[in-house]
């Protein structure tokens, strides 16, 4: 397993000719969109969610397997099928709110533009896949193959989904690259003998040892390392991105998100160094750098450190702040930005200052 900065490229004898994506947690942030559904459902039966127990469960399981576990763990007076029939409408209502994860739209459009065959292979039922992607313009048309677990004899971690996707694309398994977020998905790709890029949440960190490369975000993905056409959308040292909007309390240089559970607003797969704009009130806007790092000492597992680009900007401590991140500079490198030499921080500020004067990084 390598991180993105260590990986030197794939074996020249096994060029990547097709890419297979997982959906939930890889391209689409369905988990956060549907957070709270299980709480609400269990309350109907006088049960309380066991957060510690749920945090240890694996993402990416089939619906039937998940239902069987839930009925058993919470001693529900239901069969797995009854559980599915009752809870599915509740989830469907939330799918419309599921956002594309950072870098997802960019990657899909890039492959489509360059004629790279792309498939979608998910442990969700095909009906559910179609419903989820229907809210995202152009997604359905971008995939030459879409497969759900009900279209093969067994879902992940069995290899059948990926094998069937490769077959339908007309690409040999050795020439396929799988992009996944979950342990069961990575195991399935391994069983299919395909190359693997993992973009896991913090709960799925133990899939790291099975993947060829582990990224913190799809924004880190470098197609050229896999023999695929490189991106051409960087503006000097900065990448324009779909805006990420956050709000909270600015305290001692950090933004504390204004939500009961800070993981709701920001997915794990958003760490890195960003530039953007901060708003204190209707009249005051500031250019900022924002370092989003994994920090397991925090309840939300993430720390959002905000740096003012202009040193003459004066901010009071403990005040409400809204930020819009509009550009990406680099990956997270296991260090707090504050540990980087001041000259490096000044370099990043200079980059942000120049970029934020360009129309591509305008404040919304």
């Amino acid at each position: 397993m390598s991180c993105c900065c260590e990986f030197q490229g794939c074996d020249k004898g096994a060029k990547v000719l097709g890419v297979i994506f997982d959906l939930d947690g890889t391209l689409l942030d369905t988990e956060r969109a549907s957070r709270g559904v299980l709480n609400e459902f269990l309350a109907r039966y006088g049960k309380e969610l066991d957060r510690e127990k749920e945090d240890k469960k694996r993402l990416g399981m089939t619906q039937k397997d998940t239902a069987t576990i839930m009925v058993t763990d919470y001693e529900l007076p239901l069969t797995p099928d009854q559980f599915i029939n009752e809870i599915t409408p509740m989830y469907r209502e939330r799918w419309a709110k599921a956002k594309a994860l950072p870098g997802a739209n960019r990657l899909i459009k890039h492959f489509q533009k360059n004629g790279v065959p792309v498939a979608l292979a998910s442990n969700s039922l095909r009906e559910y896949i179609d419903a989820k992607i229907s809210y995202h313009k152009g997604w359905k048309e971008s995939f030459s193959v879409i497969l759900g677990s009900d279209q093969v004899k067994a879902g992940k971690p069995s290899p059948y989904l990926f094998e069937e996707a490769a077959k339908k694309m007309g690409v040999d398994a050795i020439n396929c690259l799988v992009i996944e977020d979950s342990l069961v998905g990575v195991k399935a790709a391994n069983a299919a003998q395909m190359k693997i890029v993992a973009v896991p949440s913090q709960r799925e960190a133990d899939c790291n040892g099975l993947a060829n490369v582990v990224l913190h975000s799809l924004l880190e993905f470098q197609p050229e390392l896999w023999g695929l056409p490189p991106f051409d959308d960087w503006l000097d040292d900065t990448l324009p991105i779909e805006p990420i909007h956050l709000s909270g309390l600015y305290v001692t240089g950090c933004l504390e998100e204004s939500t009961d559970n800070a993981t709701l607003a920001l997915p794990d797969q958003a760490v890195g160094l960003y530039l953007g704009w901060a708003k204190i009130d209707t009249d005051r806007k500031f250019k900022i750098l924002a370092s989003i790092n994994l920090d397991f000492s925090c309840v939300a597992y993430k720390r959002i450190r905000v740096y003012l680009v202009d040193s003459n900007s004066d901010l009071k401590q403990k005040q409400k702040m809204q930020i819009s991140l509009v550009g990406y500079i680099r990956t997270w490198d296991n260090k707090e930005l504050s540990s980087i030499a001041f000259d490096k921080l000044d370099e990043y500020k200079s980059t942000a200052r120049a970029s934020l004067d360009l129309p591509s990084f305008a404040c919304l």
Side-chain angles (χ1 to χ4, degrees), residues 233-291:
D233 51 355
W234 284 77
L235 298 179
D236 294 326
D237 297 321
T238 311
L239 172 69
I241 63 170
E242 296 175 24
I244 300 173
H245 302 291
L246 301 169
S247 63
L249 195 64
Y250 177 77
V251 180
T252 60
C254 292
L255 183 73
E256 298 180 358
E257 291 184 85
S258 56
T259 174
D260 293 336
N261 185 341
T263 59
L264 288 175
L266 190 66
D268 291 346
Q269 299 93 330
V271 295
L273 180 63
Y274 297 82
L275 56 84
W277 301 89
K279 180 187 288 187
I280 302 301
D281 50 46
T282 56
D283 299 320
R284 302 177 66 198
K285 296 177 182 177
F286 304 92
K287 296 177 179 179
I288 62 168
L289 284 172
S291 171

Side-chain angles (χ1 to χ4, degrees), residues 27-35 37 40 90-101 131-136 264-265 267:
L27 295 176
L28 204 54
D29 196 11
T30 42
E31 184 187 7
R32 276 165 186 75
S34 58
R35 187 72 59 85
V37 166
E40 182 182 338
M90 300 171 67
Y91 278 114
R92 279 183 176 274
E93 291 179 4
R94 306 291 182 92
W95 291 341
K97 299 179 181 179
K99 297 180 180 180
L101 284 161
K132 292 171 186 176
I133 67 176
S134 68
Y135 299 103
H136 298 270
L264 288 175

Side-chain angles (χ1 to χ4, degrees), residues 55-98:
D55 285 344
K56 292 179 180 178
K57 288 183 177 175
R58 295 298 171 200
L59 301 177
M61 297 175 67
T62 63
Q63 184 184 42
K64 192 62 175 285
D65 288 342
T66 299
T68 300
I69 292 173
M70 294 302 300
V71 168
T72 301
D73 282 358
Y74 289 96
E75 299 180 343
L76 297 172
L78 302 168
T79 65
D81 285 338
Q82 288 172 330
F83 175 88
I84 290 170
N85 290 336
E86 288 191 23
I87 201 170
T88 297
M90 300 171 67
Y91 278 114
R92 279 183 176 274
E93 291 179 4
R94 306 291 182 92
W95 291 341
K97 299 179 181 179

